[in-house]
Amino acid sequence: MTDKPSLPIIGWREWIALPELGIKFIKAKIDTGARSSSLHAFDIEVFEQDGGQWARFKVNPVQRNETWEIESTAPVIDMRSIRSSSGESQVRPVVKTAVKLMGQQFDIELTLADRNQMGFRMLLGREAFRRRFLIDPGKSYRGGIPKKRKRHP
């Protein structure tokens, strides 16, 4: 006898939104091997504002499209040493922001890193989806695919 899953099921890659960063959609790899989530960012500048650290950065939300840039700012909650899949450690700014996935919105911690050579602009690590979703590794885009537009927003 099989019980119905009590959590929504997502695929190994999904389109998500990061509304507080001005990103209406970005393709994310759902990565059970990564604890934290990571966003491709460049021109990262950490600065002081209102008594705290902030990060100003740019994002190319679509892979292989460097003409579409979104500039964002977010409070830095930590500077963390992160070991990449190649085993190299790097200190990265960590921001907290909202993510939208399959009709749910929740906060995640996100490291900012140059992921230009990676296959995905974003990794959604297990801390983000733990106790929220189940993963079907044989499926993709269970939450849907954004409609193509002729022009960028």
Side-chain angles (χ1 to χ4, degrees), residues 49-141:
Q49 180 177 308
D50 301 328
Q53 281 193 322
W54 284 71
R56 180 180 298 112
F57 53 94
K58 294 178 182 172
V59 177
N60 298 125
V62 178
Q63 193 73 25
R64 293 180 296 278
N65 182 341
E66 295 184 11
T67 59
W68 186 7
E69 280 183 7
I70 296 172
E71 188 170 321
S72 296
T73 58
V76 174
I77 61 168
D78 197 9
M79 294 296 287
R80 207 171 283 162
S81 181
I82 304 291
R83 191 173 54 246
S84 70
S85 56
S86 64
E88 194 175 309
S89 286
Q90 182 182 46
V91 176
R92 300 179 185 170
V94 180
V95 299
K96 193 172 195 171
T97 192
V99 64
K100 282 178 134 177
L101 173 59
M102 290 192 68
Q104 294 186 36
Q105 182 167 316
F106 49 92
D107 287 341
I108 63 168
E109 291 184 1
L110 198 55
T111 64
L112 304 177
D114 181 353
R115 297 186 49 78
N116 205 33
Q117 301 305 313
M118 303 296 186
F120 288 85
R121 295 293 186 190
M122 174 142 181
L123 286 184
L124 198 62
R126 65 181 177 268
E127 288 295 318
F129 55 80
R130 195 170 89 191
R131 293 190 288 277
R132 289 187 178 100
F133 300 98
L134 297 176
I135 294 115
D136 181 343
K139 300 286 185 192
S140 295
Y141 313 125

Side-chain angles (χ1 to χ4, degrees), residues 15 25-26 144-148:
W15 286 97
F25 57 85
I26 188 168
I145 299 173
K147 289 184 170 59
K148 289 193 184 240

Side-chain angles (χ1 to χ4, degrees), residues 33-64:
R35 187 181 66 76
S36 57
S37 299
S38 183
L39 176 66
H40 167 65
F42 60 98
D43 291 347
I44 302 168
E45 176 192 352
V46 176
F47 61 96
E48 294 284 326
Q49 180 177 308
D50 301 328
Q53 281 193 322
W54 284 71
R56 180 180 298 112
F57 53 94
K58 294 178 182 172
V59 177
N60 298 125
V62 178
Q63 193 73 25
R64 293 180 296 278

